[in-house]
């Protein structure tokens, strides 16, 4: 099996997973353990291995091909195949010419199947497609990167938290560039109030503050970086991976230049991977009911005490949410943000439902037209 490039060099030869021991039940799987392979994934791969397919993890996706890291640390450039489009983080079964009957006519590797996705980080598609845009899959933790050199936008943090919670991964808010401000701890307290259930960590790549804690959190896991351009994602990635990643600097208006233009997996020393994503200017919500409930768990807690089950928390009598705001127990800003994101989520859901209904109607028209053109023979 030939590889288009080597992924293992990123570990500097220092990684030594248990699966390198003789008799390990997963053939050629030693390097995949470093990338998150576990016993359940091994069992899922078993029938594909029996067909002569190669197991791997998708590290990067291009228009019609993707890079798949295999058990020896090499990387296969494979066609997407006929199934769902691969995404960074997917576990894939690949047909390799000469080893499987699934090889493509062009005698090139091809992705035959993707294992079930445990988590999926998805936002509303800019093109308006009803299925949403998947940013990364099989992620254990989402690092929401927020720079301290400008005043944090709590509403945007809540939006990113909603995406992270909905994905099924554990969110962690990382406040970067702590060396540029004197009130980092006060800002952390404000962010913590807007992020119930999520940890908030203050980090500085210059002084090293918080870096050890962040590295320990990421070790052995699949973590995704999420945030705007200029938030310090590339610098954070360099610190975590030990690489010397070039950054594009920060413009005078505080907006960063896009330094990552695609999503890809980067190995972490000692095991685990980082999914680096491009800076997000806009973050549209997509099917985020559970994510909103988690992000605004404090609002939902009060909502359970409202007189009416369908209370809109606007002017209804017996509204516990409005009472909490009046009593100073719940910030008005939190309620305003909750209303805004709830309206957006409801609108996107209704738009998606309309598209699905329209598509179904179109399909039935085609079927009925074909039936009229070719009626069943009379008995």
């Amino acid at each position: 099996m030939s590889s288009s490039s080597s992924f293992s060099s990123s570990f500097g030869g220092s990684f030594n997973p248990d699966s390198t021991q003789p008799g390990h039940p997963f053939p050629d799987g030693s390097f995949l353990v470093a990338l998150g392979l576990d016993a359940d994934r091994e069992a899922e791969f078993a029938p594909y291995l029996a067909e002569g397919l190669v197991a791997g993890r998708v590290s990067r996706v291009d228009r019609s091909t993707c890079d798949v890291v295999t058990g020896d640390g090499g990387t296969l450039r494979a066609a997407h195949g006929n199934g769902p489009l691969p995404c960074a983080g997917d576990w894939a079964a690949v047909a390799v010419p000469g080893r499987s009957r699934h090889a493509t006519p062009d005698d090139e590797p091809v992705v035959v199947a993707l294992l079930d996705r445990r988590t999926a980080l998805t936002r509303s598609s800019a093109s308006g497609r009803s299925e949403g845009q998947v940013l990364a899959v099989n992620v254990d933790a989402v690092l929401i990167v927020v720079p301290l050199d400008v005043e944090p936008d709590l509403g945007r943090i809540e939006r990113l938290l909603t995406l992270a919670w909905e994905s099924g991964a554990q969110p962690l808010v990382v406040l970067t560039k702590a060396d540029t401000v004197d009130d980092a701890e006060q800002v952390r307290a404000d962010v913590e109030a807007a992020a119930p259930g999520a940890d908030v960590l203050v980090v500085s790549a210059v002084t090293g503050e918080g870096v050890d804690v962040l590295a320990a959190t990421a070790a052995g896991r699949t973590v995704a970086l999420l945030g705007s351009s200029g938030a310090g994602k590339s610098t954070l990635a360099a610190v975590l991976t030990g690489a010397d990643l070039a950054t594009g600097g920060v413009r005078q208006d505080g907006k960063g230049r896009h330094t990552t233009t695609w999503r890809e997996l980067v190995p972490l020393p000692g095991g685990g991977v980082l999914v680096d994503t491009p800076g997000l200017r806009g973050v549209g919500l997509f099917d985020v009911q559970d994510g909103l409930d988690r992000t605004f768990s404090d609002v939902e807690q009060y909502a359970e005490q409202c007189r009416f089950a369908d209370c809109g928390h606007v002017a209804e009598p017996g509204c516990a949410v409005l009472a909490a705001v009046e009593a100073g127990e719940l910030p008005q800003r939190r309620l305003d943000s909750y209303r805004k994101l709830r309206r957006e989520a409801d609108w996107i859901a209704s738009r998606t439902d309309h598209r699905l209904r329209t598509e179904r109607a179109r399909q039935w028209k085609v079927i009925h037209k074909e039936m009229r053109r070719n009626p069943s023979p009379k008995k």
Side-chain angles (χ1 to χ4, degrees):
M1 177 178 64
S2 61
S3 299
S4 62
S5 62
S6 178
F7 201 77
S8 59
S9 59
S10 300
F11 279 101
S14 62
F15 185 73
N16 184 29
D18 291 340
S19 61
T20 59
Q21 302 302 319
H24 188 272
F26 194 76
D28 296 330
S30 60
F31 196 81
L32 296 182
V33 173
L35 302 184
L37 182 74
D38 57 25
D40 290 336
R41 289 300 193 194
E42 290 181 6
E44 291 180 68
F45 268 127
Y48 298 111
L49 297 180
E51 294 182 18
L53 301 177
V54 175
R57 194 165 193 191
V58 177
S59 64
R60 177 180 170 180
V61 178
D62 292 318
R63 188 178 298 270
S64 60
T65 62
C66 59
D67 291 345
V68 182
V69 184
T70 58
D72 61 359
T75 305
L76 287 171
R77 176 62 58 87
H80 290 173
N82 297 323
L85 289 178
C87 182
D90 264 321
W91 291 98
V94 182
V96 178
R99 290 187 51 170
S100 170
R101 59 182 175 81
H102 296 280
T104 64
D106 294 332
D107 214 27
E108 295 288 338
V110 61
V111 173
V112 172
L114 300 176
L115 300 190
D116 290 341
R117 293 168 173 174
R118 294 176 181 173
T119 63
L121 190 60
T122 309
R123 70 169 175 174
S124 180
S125 172
S127 65
R129 293 178 302 176
S130 58
E131 68 269 20
Q133 179 189 15
V134 183
L135 301 175
V137 298
N138 297 318
V139 172
D140 300 311
V142 177
L143 309 185
I144 298 172
V145 185
V146 181
L148 289 174
D149 58 347
V150 293
E151 184 177 355
D153 184 341
L154 297 180
R156 182 175 176 82
I157 293 173
E158 288 162 342
R159 179 180 291 271
L160 294 174
L161 280 166
T162 299
L163 245 65
W165 282 122
E166 186 65 37
S167 75
Q170 175 67 38
L172 169 65
V173 182
V174 184
L175 303 179
T176 61
K177 307 182 183 181
D179 54 283
T180 64
V181 296
D182 298 324
D183 60 345
E185 289 304 317
Q186 179 57 53
V187 176
R188 173 164 62 177
D190 294 340
V191 173
E192 283 179 339
D199 290 332
V200 180
L201 182 63
V202 175
V203 171
S204 169
V206 174
T207 66
E209 178 183 359
V211 170
D212 289 346
V213 176
L214 184 60
T217 301
R221 309 172 77 188
T222 298
V223 296
L225 295 178
L226 197 62
S228 306
S229 295
K233 292 195 281 71
S234 293
T235 302
L236 203 62
V239 170
L240 289 174
T241 62
D244 183 18
L245 299 183
T247 60
V250 179
R251 302 186 321 206
Q252 293 302 313
D253 57 4
K255 297 178 181 179
R257 298 185 176 93
H258 288 270
T259 55
T260 301
T261 56
W262 56 77
R263 293 174 290 279
E264 64 178 331
L265 263 61
V266 184
L268 296 171
V273 289
L274 184 73
V275 185
D276 198 7
T277 64
L280 301 178
R281 287 195 179 95
V283 185
L285 302 182
F286 179 81
D287 192 16
V288 292
Q289 179 62 51
D290 292 340
L292 278 172
D293 291 346
R294 295 292 298 271
T295 300
F296 294 95
S297 58
D298 50 349
V299 178
E300 292 294 335
Q301 215 168 17
Y302 288 112
E304 292 176 358
Q305 305 170 31
C306 289
R307 180 184 302 177
F308 303 109
D310 60 348
C311 184
H313 321 306
V314 178
E316 296 87 345
C319 176
V321 174
L322 295 178
V325 173
E326 183 71 23
E329 299 171 0
L330 181 69
Q332 180 67 47
R333 189 208 64 79
R334 281 284 281 173
L335 179 56
D336 292 342
S337 182
Y338 171 80
R339 288 170 173 166
K340 177 182 179 180
L341 295 182
R342 178 67 69 186
R343 285 195 301 269
E344 180 180 335
D346 290 344
W347 179 78
I348 290 175
S350 65
R351 186 184 66 174
T352 300
D353 289 344
H354 174 72
R355 283 205 180 99
L356 291 175
R357 288 196 299 270
T358 301
E359 177 62 20
R360 291 193 192 103
R362 188 193 66 80
Q363 292 174 350
W364 276 113
K365 285 182 180 179
V366 172
I367 293 173
H368 290 159
K369 185 177 181 180
E370 188 64 26
M371 291 175 65
R372 289 194 298 270
R373 183 181 301 168
N374 301 297
S376 300
K378 294 181 180 180
K379 295 182 180 180

